[in-house]
Amino acid sequence: MFLKVVLFTWVASVASSAFAIYFPLPAGHREAFMGNTGGAMEASPGNALYNPAGLGFRSTNKLSLSVSGTALTSHQMKSNSSDLSPSDYSVRPLLASGIYPTEWGTGAVFVASPMMLSLDGLMNTQGGSYNSSTLTSLDSQLLKVGAAFGAAISDSLSWGVSAGLQVGDSRTHSYNKVSTGGSLYATIFTETESKMKGVFVLPGIQIKPAANWTLGLSAQFIPVMLESKAVDYTAVHAVATPNTVNEETVSYEPVKQSPYYLRFANGFNLLAGNDLFVDVTYTSESSMRDADGVVEDEKSFVVYSVGWRNKSFESWQPMAGYSQSSTDNSTNHMTSAGVAMVRGRSELILGGYYMASVPNDDNVFEYSSYGFMFSSNVAY
């Protein structure tokens, strides 16, 4: 039971993060290179993820297609007794979207994968007189598919809404050797699979109190949970009974309370072609249930983000950003930067990011991730 509890603690933590509405890894178009600021950004393919009201201020009547992603991304989770490293390096889409102007406003369809983890490694744990050595692999991802629409009410006010399907999927496989007194006590195989599916809605508005100032407000929540299920399979082979394998399969609903977030954003057009974006995002409380029916609560937290872009150069534009958040268990930092190569209304952005989650407790995993990013937007 001790080992099972230890395994669930970190598996559920990752699964909960995978289905959290706020995505800490960089996602979007320009937003990914600017610390995930985007609530006050206008006419960006990433508006569908941050604030669809930005589509309402899109001035062109051209169709555009955008694809963003990361390449050579590395993830790592480690603690005092374990080290989970990436099992592979891959290119994966963060956002693919098409933006279509209409006579009523601007519409968009999109597919986004704000988070994908692939980890494997060794964990060593101890409880009382028992020691455990665990070989573990984890695959977890979040997928969002939907449509967005934004329209301007006036030159200084726009509204928009995004809606679609959000799916979180997490799988783990673990092989454990438990020993006591220096002798093998038992081997344990654990397999856990969880899937969470819901309908998300993201309404927002943008206001221009002044010519060089844009204010954005948006809120995302899941009003309908279509699916929340998990299956936990455990097979125990004790040395004392070599001909007996004890198996147990438990099905349960992991999501008890899904979080929502509120984003308050400011965008400023400064001198010398500099744009400054500042976002404050509140993520509500959430909770997860384990196979034994125990509910673990996650308290609310606030994310502070700042992004910068320089548009003084016509053909290339540097950008950078930083975001920070703190919870009871950890402090999270993310830095991202890139350079946009602009040709008319089309652009290609190349850059990278680094993220670190520093635990406040020795029993919590430290997480880090870094990678190369790209994003392209082509106007027709």
Side-chain angles (χ1 to χ4, degrees):
M1 178 59 69
F2 160 75
L3 181 61
K4 189 175 179 180
V5 170
V6 170
L7 286 173
F8 177 81
T9 299
W10 75 273
V11 170
S13 176
V14 173
S16 178
S17 298
F19 202 65
I21 295 179
Y22 173 73
F23 31 86
L25 291 174
H29 179 54
R30 304 183 189 102
E31 299 87 350
F33 302 87
M34 301 171 67
N36 280 346
T37 57
M41 197 173 295
E42 304 171 23
S44 170
N47 289 153
L49 295 178
Y50 291 85
N51 188 348
L55 296 172
F57 284 135
R58 191 171 184 265
S59 58
T60 178
N61 60 356
K62 301 289 187 180
L63 166 71
S64 70
L65 299 176
S66 176
V67 177
S68 304
T70 59
L72 300 178
T73 301
S74 172
H75 301 278
Q76 185 179 57
M77 294 178 69
K78 63 181 181 180
S79 66
N80 293 335
S81 59
S82 62
D83 189 354
L84 299 178
S85 301
S87 59
D88 59 8
Y89 294 90
S90 62
V91 176
R92 66 178 177 91
L94 286 174
L95 174 68
S97 66
I99 300 179
Y100 309 92
T102 70
E103 59 179 307
W104 305 285
T106 301
V109 293
F110 63 92
V111 177
S113 177
M115 195 185 86
M116 181 180 292
L117 298 178
S118 182
L119 302 162
D120 61 4
L122 183 66
M123 291 188 354
N124 294 304
T125 56
Q126 183 174 358
S129 61
Y130 293 95
N131 296 315
S132 173
S133 179
T134 307
L135 184 64
T136 301
S137 66
L138 164 69
D139 290 288
S140 184
Q141 64 178 334
L142 174 66
L143 179 67
K144 299 165 71 73
V145 180
F149 180 82
I153 298 176
S154 66
D155 292 339
S156 59
L157 176 63
S158 68
W159 67 274
V161 62
S162 295
L165 183 66
Q166 178 169 303
V167 179
D169 193 1
S170 181
R171 295 181 176 90
T172 64
H173 299 84
S174 299
Y175 177 72
N176 323 286
K177 290 185 177 181
V178 182
S179 59
T180 179
S183 301
L184 181 65
Y185 175 76
T187 59
I188 304 175
F189 174 76
T190 303
E191 182 178 68
T192 301
E193 179 177 359
S194 63
K195 178 170 289 188
M196 308 164 201
K197 183 187 303 181
V199 176
F200 73 89
V201 179
L202 170 60
I205 62 171
Q206 284 189 357
I207 306 169
K208 293 184 177 181
N212 62 345
W213 176 24
T214 302
L215 179 67
L217 298 170
S218 61
Q220 185 169 317
F221 52 94
I222 299 179
V224 179
M225 182 66 71
L226 300 175
E227 182 180 35
S228 172
K229 67 177 184 180
V231 178
D232 187 2
Y233 169 77
T234 304
V236 180
H237 182 195
V239 174
T241 55
N243 298 323
T244 302
V245 178
N246 296 314
E247 297 179 282
E248 180 184 13
T249 301
V250 180
S251 299
Y252 57 98
E253 295 182 3
V255 174
K256 181 175 174 61
Q257 179 184 353
S258 180
Y260 64 88
Y261 83 63
L262 305 174
R263 183 184 294 271
F264 176 75
N266 288 273
F268 304 95
N269 302 120
L270 307 178
L271 298 176
N274 289 287
D275 289 345
L276 180 66
F277 297 91
V278 180
D279 286 22
V280 178
T281 308
Y282 168 82
T283 299
S284 73
E285 295 181 353
S286 62
S287 59
M288 295 284 291
R289 180 188 289 110
D290 66 12
D292 296 320
V294 178
V295 176
E296 180 179 351
D297 294 321
E298 295 288 341
K299 293 185 178 180
S300 61
F301 62 94
V302 178
V303 182
Y304 303 93
S305 308
V306 59
W308 162 82
R309 183 183 186 185
N310 185 286
K311 297 187 297 185
S312 59
F313 301 98
E314 183 176 346
S315 59
W316 64 278
Q317 300 173 2
M319 58 188 69
Y322 171 78
S323 68
Q324 187 269 340
S325 64
S326 296
T327 66
D328 290 342
N329 296 326
S330 63
T331 301
N332 310 299
H333 307 270
M334 189 192 73
T335 302
S336 57
V339 175
M341 289 159 278
V342 183
R343 297 292 185 272
R345 294 187 180 275
S346 301
E347 63 183 354
L348 171 66
I349 311 175
L350 300 176
Y353 79 95
Y354 174 76
M355 177 183 171
S357 179
V358 182
N360 300 328
D361 192 320
D362 292 338
N363 296 324
V364 179
F365 276 89
E366 177 181 352
Y367 172 77
S368 63
S369 177
Y370 62 88
F372 167 79
M373 301 188 297
F374 68 91
S375 185
S376 63
N377 184 49
V378 180
Y380 296 91

